[in-house]
Amino acid sequence: MRTDTGQVFRLEDYRPSDYLIPETNLTFQLFPDATLVRAELLIERRSGVSEKTPLILDGDGLELKRLEIDGVVAQAGTFTADDERLTIARPPRGRRFRLTIDTVVAPSGNQALMGLYLSNGVYCTQCEAEGFRRITYFLDRPDILSVYTVRIEAPRALSRLLSNGNPGESGELAGDRHYAVWHDPHPKPSYLFALVAGDLGCIKDRFVTASGRSVELGLYVERGKENQASYAMDALRRSMKWDEEVFGLEYDLDVFNIVAVSDFNIGAMENKGLNIFNDKYVLAGEETATDADFANIEAIIAHEYFHNWTGNRITCRDWFQLCLKEGLTVYRDHEFSSDQRSRAVSRIAQVRTLRAHQFPEDQGPLAHPVRPRRYREINNFYTATVYEKGSEVARMIHTLIGADLFRRGMDLYFERHDGQAVTIEDFLKVFEDASDQDLSQFALWYHQAGTPNVAVTASYSPASQELTLEIEQSLAPTPSEARKRVMHIPLAFGLVGPDGRDMVHGAVSGASVENDVIHVRKRRQSVKFTGISERPVVSLNRGFSAPVTLTFEMRKEDRIFLARHDSDPYGRWQAFNGLLTEELMAAFRKLRGDRTPEFGDDLAAASHTIAMDERLEHAFRALALTLPGEADVAREIGTNIDPDAICLAREMLARSIATRNAEAFRTLYEGLRSDAPYSPDAASAGRRALRNTLLDYLALLPEGDRLAYGHFDAATNMTDRAAALTVLAHRHPGSDLADRALAAFEIRFRDDPLVMDKWFLIQASVPGHATADRVRALMQHPAFSISNPNRVRSLAGTFFSANQTGFHRPDGAGYSLFAETVLAVEQRNPQVAARLATALRSWRSLEPARQRKARETLLAIAATDKLSADLRDIVERTLA
Ligand code: B3K
Ligand code: ZN
């Protein structure tokens, strides 16, 4: 385990490497405890660099066996090698020379799952960000692009030997072993290196690119699971087609391979020509995967494929530029999902994710700019800010310059920077050049952390037929910047007339308004619209055009009006969701003041209208009827949070909506039943989503547990089965029927680890104080394993991050479990432990007693000796 050295990396310290590595030849002799890695590197001194400049290669936990310089074994004293670097103080004089480096690594003992490791008998690698240095000494930084040739030697029993690029020679070796050679003609950074060796099942397909290149597609999974791989393959083909149609980007090798493994730190990895996936994001069948799983698989297959151009062909100069590939690629996969499914529903889902994960990050101690300027451990910067907010920033560029110029800018990006390692400045410049606009103020979105607030007041004058919007932007200080500069915020809007149509306005003064977007560029501005014949209802931040919070006083009836009539479906969802949130906040305050909240008829009536509106998609109705989560409400309240009161308020509101709509919801629920064979398409999934959302309400009514049990029992697919099990376990915890359903599920699926993850997740998220003990007990379950990231995330991760009442139990029992688990996981896998530890990032918003206990827990972890760099970084920033 790499312990913390306290070293801080700074953006301004970047300088190009003195040496380059144009060619890399690797030979692996695979053995579980001692794999021999031979790296033959062609090294080139950059022009202008003095001959006397030492060559320093990165390593991590390596043991050097042998070193040759230009074919001659290096003598002791001419180099130094330890587990962290190999230094050649006086490299050869010539500009180019060759090194042959032999190292030995032990895949079997590698529990950190970085570098070369074994997962279920399959050798595989994970190198991003700095895992390649755990395989061999190298200039392990993304601006060192090299052409790789890889030879793998392994027992014949490991039938598949894969690496990046195109396949070359292969054959038999003595001792029941065989070999295969791979060559990747595209220069790439070391973080994109990959190797797989295992006895895997495979499905194959073929894709012919627009220009006629025939590409063989291979999807490798555990033997016997081939029939669960076809959806992923279909998603891959659709992604390849979409990237050609929408961005004009074609694939560039003869093969494209995807391998699914069961021990993986993240969702998937975009290694050139050989994507490696967490099997959770490949394997799917109606019996074992939910509609949400299918949608995730589609999105992640697309994301990794899209990286081939945004990330691989054009990569990052340094790790500060991570959003250059991640934010942009998330934007591309969002657009893909929107085109493949319902755009409105996809957008709402994207915004919900952003608000649930990125907003709390931006508002807490771990806030950082989309392009950070400092880091101690880069693995801790694969965050919602870099990914999701990074995607929103790319989307805003699209909004600012429009679809055509955006595409022109992207074309210019590929033309200008193909084969390079570049920066955010390079990225912005292509859009400035394509659009002839100055994006310097806009660039602050990359440089300043925090979620801006836009406060708006509207006044309408019937006499002058003018509408005035007073707009003020603000941005609170964050750990990265104490003082903030004024940003350029594109605020899409509509003025909705009494008939529900957008009103046409006359001249505008006070700000530039183009294509229904107000360009907010000053701290305060007053925007005046003329020629408005009646008081409009103002719909702001339509489509969530900017990732901001809005403070906009609105009458309740105006919100209800927008929820029914806004021509922007996102706007309708936002209006209704805002209403529900306000209602929950008011109920919370009452409960904290020992009063009983009462809910009026209007919300229940609006819920009824939305539920019954046949013009709306099922999936949209399901999203609208889903109450804001406990964490969403906590975030809006901001301080002095008592999770128990929020949970109670939420249940009371749900009960009130259910009671008042009992008959209508029941009839609708029954009408949504379908006997058609299962299909994961968006429309069928939407119908199930609405039916299952209604079930969640109906379960609160008398006999609700029976209804849910019947639903569980009759389910013919995992979506319905898991939804009913959740409803039973969460709405009727400890009841006979809930226990019966949990037991039946366990018996049926106990041999399928990915399905058992759902069983763990459902139980870990049962609201209430009893869950801490249940989670502790489940950690002893035979299906649980502390060394498998998926198991840890579904049980412990869910409990810490998605169970407000259980985790923040007032006596601190949830926090004790947190400290024990995080430290136990850290012993094996620091990266996964650090990610778990972010669950306490919002501790300062809790009420004082819980705050004290949370702080003590963090301090106790920080006081532990020899913490990993990963965990120390998170814990210390969280406490700072
Ligand atoms: N680029 C990888 C993430 C690597 C995480 C390293 N800690 C997956 C992705 O974003 O596509
Ligand atoms: Zn990515």
Side-chain angles (χ1 to χ4, degrees):
M1 184 167 88
R2 195 154 51 141
T3 50
D4 184 48
T5 58
Q7 188 179 1
V8 175
F9 298 88
R10 294 185 166 77
L11 171 62
E12 64 266 26
D13 292 343
Y14 173 84
R15 46 187 291 281
S17 171
D18 295 325
Y19 290 92
L20 309 173
I21 311 182
E23 277 173 37
T24 300
N25 287 285
L26 301 171
T27 304
F28 289 83
Q29 292 179 30
L30 293 175
F31 293 95
D33 305 323
T35 287
L36 180 69
V37 184
R38 168 161 294 178
E40 295 165 282
L41 310 178
L42 174 65
I43 309 274
E44 180 180 304
R45 191 178 294 111
R46 191 187 284 281
S47 67
V49 171
S50 146
E51 285 172 12
K52 295 182 183 147
T53 310
L55 169 66
I56 305 172
L57 302 181
D58 305 298
D60 180 3
L62 287 179
E63 194 193 328
L64 179 71
K65 287 291 172 195
R66 195 165 166 281
L67 172 68
E68 279 178 19
I69 304 174
D70 275 336
V72 180
V73 176
Q75 298 303 310
T78 61
F79 67 92
T80 59
D82 59 25
D83 61 343
E84 288 198 352
R85 59 190 60 84
L86 169 63
T87 307
I88 301 174
R90 279 297 171 93
R93 291 238 175 93
R95 268 203 58 204
R96 285 182 156 211
F97 55 94
R98 290 186 184 270
L99 297 183
T100 303
I101 303 168
D102 288 353
T103 49
V104 173
V105 297
S108 62
N110 182 350
Q111 293 201 68
L113 314 185
M114 284 296 280
L116 177 66
Y117 65 95
L118 270 166
S119 169
N120 242 342
V122 178
Y123 288 89
C124 63
T125 53
Q126 171 56 33
C127 292
E128 187 175 0
E130 297 177 339
F132 192 71
R133 62 183 68 183
R134 290 165 62 92
I135 296 174
T136 187
Y137 293 104
F138 204 75
L139 291 171
D140 191 16
R141 43 188 284 173
D143 60 348
I144 294 295
L145 308 183
S146 189
V147 172
Y148 285 67
T149 306
V150 178
R151 179 184 163 99
I152 309 167
E153 300 181 9
R156 233 186 300 249
L158 302 177
S159 54
R160 318 277 189 182
L161 307 179
L162 307 170
S163 190
N164 315 91
N166 294 321
E169 193 196 337
S170 61
E172 306 296 313
L173 293 170
D176 224 11
R177 291 172 74 82
H178 64 159
Y179 74 94
V181 177
W182 289 79
H183 177 71
D184 182 1
H186 299 280
K188 66 168 174 289
S190 50
Y191 80 85
L192 291 174
F193 166 77
L195 172 156
V196 171
D199 185 35
L200 295 160
C202 174
I203 63 168
K204 294 254 176 200
D205 206 336
R206 185 162 291 282
F207 181 85
V208 180
T209 67
S211 66
R213 178 197 279 272
S214 170
V215 184
E216 188 178 284
L217 311 176
L219 221 160
Y220 295 84
V221 297
E222 207 175 286
R223 278 200 194 277
K225 298 204 167 153
E226 294 87 342
N227 61 345
Q228 292 186 46
S230 50
Y231 185 78
M233 181 63 95
D234 178 56
L236 173 62
R237 296 176 51 85
R238 286 185 282 123
S239 307
M240 295 177 87
K241 188 108 197 89
W242 185 90
D243 218 12
E244 292 184 346
E245 287 170 1
V246 177
F247 283 97
L249 298 172
E250 274 189 36
Y251 188 62
D252 52 7
L253 288 166
D254 304 336
V255 298
F256 185 77
N257 286 320
I258 295 177
V259 180
V261 298
S262 50
D263 300 86
F264 209 59
N265 280 350
I266 48 175
M269 178 65 212
E270 70 262 25
N271 316 301
K272 181 82 189 189
L274 177 55
N275 288 184
I276 299 183
F277 268 65
N278 187 325
D279 56 3
K280 175 178 163 66
Y281 296 116
V282 170
L283 300 175
E286 63 191 83
E287 273 290 298
T288 52
T290 61
D291 293 331
D293 292 326
F294 280 96
N296 280 333
I297 289 170
E298 179 181 81
I300 296 175
I301 290 274
H303 179 97
E304 306 310 333
Y305 175 73
F306 296 157
H307 267 313
N308 190 52
W309 279 94
T310 50
N312 302 3
R313 295 276 298 236
I314 304 181
T315 194
C316 304
R317 186 192 73 174
D318 52 65
W319 290 121
F320 297 100
Q321 321 295 332
L322 186 57
C323 63
L324 175 90
K325 72 179 180 84
E326 295 305 347
L328 178 58
T329 306
V330 171
Y331 171 67
R332 277 154 50 68
D333 86 55
H334 281 175
E335 282 301 293
F336 170 73
S337 292
S338 300
D339 284 347
Q340 301 283 314
R341 293 165 174 259
S342 147
R343 183 159 282 271
V345 168
S346 299
R347 186 63 187 141
I348 294 166
Q350 291 154 14
V351 175
R352 272 168 45 121
T353 306
L354 182 88
R355 286 192 181 162
H357 300 288
Q358 200 278 326
F359 275 23
E361 184 166 87
D362 236 354
Q363 291 160 18
L366 301 181
H368 56 272
V370 172
R371 185 180 68 186
R373 285 180 295 274
R374 310 250 170 292
Y375 63 77
R376 277 165 74 176
E377 175 49 63
I378 187 57
N379 283 324
N380 289 335
F381 282 82
Y382 289 77
T383 59
T385 298
V386 168
Y387 277 65
E388 315 298 330
K389 188 174 178 184
S391 160
E392 294 304 318
V393 179
R395 177 178 301 280
M396 284 190 285
I397 299 176
H398 184 280
T399 305
L400 290 187
I401 67 177
D404 292 345
L405 294 179
F406 184 81
R407 172 66 201 267
R408 201 181 292 173
M410 287 299 293
D411 289 349
L412 191 54
Y413 181 60
F414 298 119
E415 221 174 276
R416 204 179 265 179
H417 297 297
D418 186 16
Q420 299 178 1
V422 304
T423 63
I424 284 302
E425 283 71 18
D426 296 319
F427 180 67
L428 280 168
K429 183 80 169 61
V430 297
F431 296 107
E432 291 193 318
D433 291 353
S435 69
D436 216 10
Q437 283 194 39
D438 172 5
L439 296 177
S440 48
Q441 187 185 12
F442 177 79
L444 289 171
W445 282 103
Y446 284 105
H447 308 321
Q448 298 196 133
T451 306
N453 180 263
V454 178
V456 181
T457 50
S459 53
Y460 175 69
S461 152
S464 58
Q465 306 220 323
E466 281 175 355
L467 174 80
T468 308
L469 299 180
E470 302 288 347
I471 304 178
E472 182 169 357
Q473 62 163 293
S474 60
L475 184 50
T478 60
S480 52
E481 309 89 25
R483 293 174 64 97
K484 303 283 185 181
R485 292 158 66 193
V486 178
M487 312 202 31
H488 177 181
I489 301 172
L491 206 60
F493 76 104
L495 308 177
V496 187
D499 59 355
R501 299 225 183 119
D502 282 6
M503 299 172 82
V504 183
H505 56 78
V508 186
S509 57
S512 86
V513 174
E514 288 157 15
N515 303 326
D516 300 324
V517 174
I518 305 172
H519 292 273
V520 180
R521 287 165 164 274
K522 299 189 201 144
R523 197 171 301 282
R524 267 186 218 94
Q525 56 201 100
S526 170
V527 189
K528 193 168 282 181
F529 297 86
T530 61
I532 313 270
S533 52
E534 277 170 282
R535 186 188 80 93
V537 178
V538 185
S539 172
L540 283 176
N541 209 18
R542 275 184 167 172
F544 201 67
S545 60
V548 299
T549 53
L550 264 185
T551 309
F552 183 35
E553 286 289 327
M554 261 181 119
R555 304 177 193 168
K556 198 170 180 184
E557 60 270 25
D558 283 352
R559 280 195 201 268
I560 292 180
F561 177 82
L562 279 187
R564 296 182 66 166
H565 298 295
D566 198 328
S567 61
D568 171 33
Y570 170 80
R572 277 207 294 273
W573 174 83
Q574 178 174 253
F576 192 59
N577 191 262
L579 265 174
L580 293 169
T581 307
E582 281 185 358
E583 200 78 2
L584 289 168
M585 287 165 70
F588 168 82
R589 287 193 195 101
K590 284 216 167 127
L591 287 167
R592 288 287 277 170
D594 277 331
R595 282 172 299 152
T596 312
E598 271 160 39
F599 302 99
D601 272 328
D602 42 4
L603 262 193
S607 304
H608 181 271
T609 311
I610 290 173
M612 299 301 156
D613 189 342
E614 289 298 331
R615 290 165 309 177
L616 299 172
E617 294 173 86
H618 290 138
F620 176 90
R621 289 189 252 167
L623 282 171
L625 292 173
T626 303
L627 295 186
E630 290 163 28
D632 294 316
V633 180
R635 190 184 66 242
E636 293 300 320
I637 297 169
T639 52
N640 206 10
I641 298 301
D642 169 2
D644 293 338
I646 295 179
C647 183
L648 182 57
R650 202 169 169 272
E651 196 192 309
M652 292 173 90
L653 176 58
R655 204 175 283 279
S656 138
I657 293 175
T659 310
R660 289 171 212 228
N661 290 302
E663 256 184 58
F665 279 12
R666 183 70 199 232
T667 313
L668 182 58
Y669 167 83
E670 295 296 347
L672 289 165
R673 188 196 299 274
S674 158
D675 294 326
Y678 178 84
S679 155
D681 68 90
S684 315
R687 189 184 48 71
R688 284 185 287 273
L690 180 55
R691 185 159 178 264
N692 289 329
T693 305
L694 293 167
L695 177 70
D696 191 38
Y697 281 107
L698 296 169
L700 291 164
L701 301 176
E703 298 288 302
D705 54 346
R706 284 186 183 286
L707 182 72
Y709 191 83
H711 190 114
F712 174 79
D713 209 33
T716 55
N717 59 70
M718 183 51 78
T719 305
D720 290 336
R721 188 172 286 120
L725 187 62
T726 306
V727 169
L728 276 169
H730 290 200
R731 297 300 195 191
H732 299 278
S735 68
D736 272 3
L737 289 177
D739 290 346
R740 245 162 72 188
L742 281 166
F745 192 98
E746 180 189 6
I747 289 169
R748 181 162 180 172
F749 296 108
R750 66 178 148 212
D751 296 325
D752 189 329
L754 291 176
V755 182
M756 286 304 281
D757 282 344
K758 299 183 195 306
W759 189 76
F760 286 130
L761 179 148
I762 289 169
Q763 296 180 79
S765 48
V766 172
H769 297 173
T771 304
D773 303 320
R774 163 117 60 142
V775 170
R776 191 181 281 279
L778 284 171
M779 285 187 171
Q780 305 305 320
H781 192 280
F784 181 76
S785 157
I786 196 141
S787 52
N788 178 283
N790 288 359
R791 300 305 90 75
V792 168
R793 283 188 285 253
S794 61
L795 184 57
T798 299
F799 179 62
F800 302 149
S801 293
N803 190 335
Q804 303 290 307
T805 47
F807 178 44
H808 300 290
R809 192 168 119 171
D811 68 358
Y815 301 154
S816 312
L817 183 61
F818 171 83
E820 284 166 43
T821 312
V822 166
L823 290 172
V825 173
E826 194 214 20
Q827 289 307 306
R828 300 164 173 87
N829 192 326
Q831 216 179 105
V832 170
R835 179 57 69 109
L836 275 188
T838 61
L840 265 185
R841 67 184 171 195
S842 301
W843 66 278
R844 278 199 183 81
S845 61
L846 294 162
E847 51 79 23
R850 285 177 171 88
Q851 229 184 90
R852 234 183 345 267
K853 289 204 157 64
R855 182 164 177 272
E856 281 161 15
T857 307
L858 287 164
L859 286 170
I861 297 176
T864 311
D865 256 5
K866 293 206 179 133
L867 279 193
S868 61
D870 309 61
L871 185 56
R872 182 163 298 287
D873 172 44
I874 292 292
V875 172
E876 290 187 355
R877 278 195 285 141
T878 304
L879 279 164

